[in-house]
Amino acid sequence: MASIVGGFVMPHEPGIFYMPRERWTEGQHRVMAAYGEIARRIGELEATAVVVVGADHHVLFGPGCLPSYLIGIGEVSGPYEKFAGIDQGAIPNHAPLAGHIARHGRDHGYDWAVAKVLRVDHSIGLPARVCALVNPSVRGVIPVYLASGVEPVISLRRAHQLGGALRAAVEAWDTDDRVVVIGSGGISHWVGMPQMGRVNEAFDHRVLDCVARGDSHGLLEMSDAEILEQGGNGAFEIRNFLCMMGALPGRTGRVLCYEHGEEWVTGLGFAEVLEPA
């Protein structure tokens, strides 16, 4: 059967990739090294498929359609935005596995919205390009969007449960695929609010500590009001982290990097969670 072999969390802050190399700060070098470390680890895990769990930023889904959770089962391209040195063309999708996840979910109480054609934004496109597709073992990237960026947002608990549904579907897939799950999102940031640019380092470390200890309960016990106060509306994206954690229940790991500074508008956290050998 197929298996989930590891998980990661990482930011998708566009400012990281707009900055030309000649202007990189020491922090920027550390951030780029963290992306490189995750790319290297995905290669070491011999992953054949990477599920990237991201958020819509009102780029793909307007007010006429706001799915709680969606999986791309066909053609994928992006990122929608232009970044120097990063392709915007086709992203190989592991369409057979993606379709299986959607069907398995429907059979077990998870009514996935599906997209047969999907042009992703930076929350999916950057992790796909920078960390997944640089590895020749990766045959495809499966995009999963949660309503974690635009209200009404999916509940924390449902996001975590959805990770469990991903795991169950992967383990019911009769192949030798090795799957990595990435939770893509910023931690504390206030999008379009007067506090934009503020970062709450204590909140960010609390979140990353929960990820590293496999403590999903520590995140699930937060209310949205607390998240908004302590981490801003952008921190609703920790739902993407919880989805990854649900796919690797109770698994522990390590924080790879944490940075914040004037270069960016969010706390940037990187962590790895491992399946037991």
Side-chain angles (χ1 to χ4, degrees), residues 156 203 206-207 217-224 226-227 238:
L156 294 170
F203 175 87
R206 175 183 172 188
V207 169
H217 179 73
L219 299 182
L220 289 168
E221 68 181 4
M222 296 184 188
S223 67
D224 281 346
E226 179 185 2
I227 294 170
I238 67 171

